[in-house]
Amino acid sequence: SAKDELGDYQGAIADYNKAIEINPQYADAYTNRGNAKSNLKDYQGAIADYNKALAINPQYANAYNNRGVAKYDLKDYQGAIADYNKAIELNPKLSKAYLNRGYARYNLGDYQGAIADFNKAIEINPQDATAYTNRASAKNELGDHKGAISDSNKAIAINPKYADAYTNRGYAKSNLGDYQGEIADYNKAIAINPQYARAYYNLGVAKDDLGDYQGAIADYNKAIAINPQYAAAYNNRGIVKKNLGDLEGAIADFNKAIEINPQDATAYNNRGIAKGQLKDFQGAIVDFNRVIEINPQYASAYIQRGIAKSNLGDYQGAIADHSKAIEINPQYADAYTFRGYAKGLSGDQQGMCLD
């Protein structure tokens, strides 16, 4: 409806309600009302409407596709894929269903499956810049950074104002060591969309890598101002502050990252390191315990906990932790070094020399 196109989703819903009242078997009205509800983030309400449309017309490919999108937004990726499969079965030329299934597969870590779907979307619609951009993201995840740049270039040729394409290309360039090219691409993305938090975040990472710590903090500040729930930006800003010696400021940032995402093992690990540098070894151990609880294979957390235990005189506990890190990663040189140090402090000179 015109109201939908103007962003008046509540007004659109009122119109669809009226249409349904007049004709309760009007499948399109339920689908369009579902779309309006999705735009208002009422995903469960949207799914209920798509269900109704499908009950009226079980061959309605778009309703399956749109229900898949609502499930995707609820992070039900498997449920979304099932709906996209059905949409494709009903309409094998529905390019957006391949595109959307590719998103879902990407989020499940099935990057090859995602690429296959993006390939199909491009085959159906060779001018789909979004498909090229998303294929670039999947290629980046698989380490094919040159392929990602090629796809990003294609997306930009189709749509020179596509900020995501510049950001993906910048990320690929960073992995190929072209840091200046990377920064130029992030700046271009920001010029197109000054509210693009991810581009500021990536720019911060690039400046941090180049040793421009104040510049990195400024970019993380900007990302956080745009998106105050950006946990990774707080975490990275905390790391830069820690490296600059602002340990209290770093801990405040790690606290915020953990508040936003209580399952963020990296933020707990970083906070533990900062607490250790402040000689709060007991507090550090509490954080490393939490890291290991979240991810028992987090080798560096065992090393850091071992260091904290050594500082508290618990050399046997430290040795056990360093041994665990070695069990997880037998090539972890630091683990041998710190275990040897703990053995030496415990009086085991021979063990120290062997490590």
Side-chain angles (χ1 to χ4, degrees), residues 308-343:
K309 287 179 179 178
S310 278
N311 278 289
L312 291 170
D314 176 11
Y315 304 124
Q316 293 306 324
I319 290 165
D321 275 342
H322 297 315
S323 296
K324 183 66 180 178
I326 290 164
E327 179 189 318
I328 294 167
N329 178 5
Q331 303 303 309
Y332 207 151
D334 281 353
Y336 291 99
T337 300
F338 286 113
R339 187 173 70 176
Y341 178 67
K343 285 179 178 178

Side-chain angles (χ1 to χ4, degrees), residues 160-174:
K161 295 293 188 184
Y162 198 170
D164 279 354
Y166 289 100
T167 301
N168 278 354
R169 189 173 71 179
Y171 179 77
K173 287 178 179 178
S174 76

Side-chain angles (χ1 to χ4, degrees), residues 255-273:
N255 289 346
K256 188 66 182 177
I258 290 164
E259 177 190 320
I260 295 166
N261 179 9
Q263 296 300 306
D264 188 346
T266 302
Y268 282 104
N269 194 63
N270 289 335
R271 189 173 71 179
I273 293 169

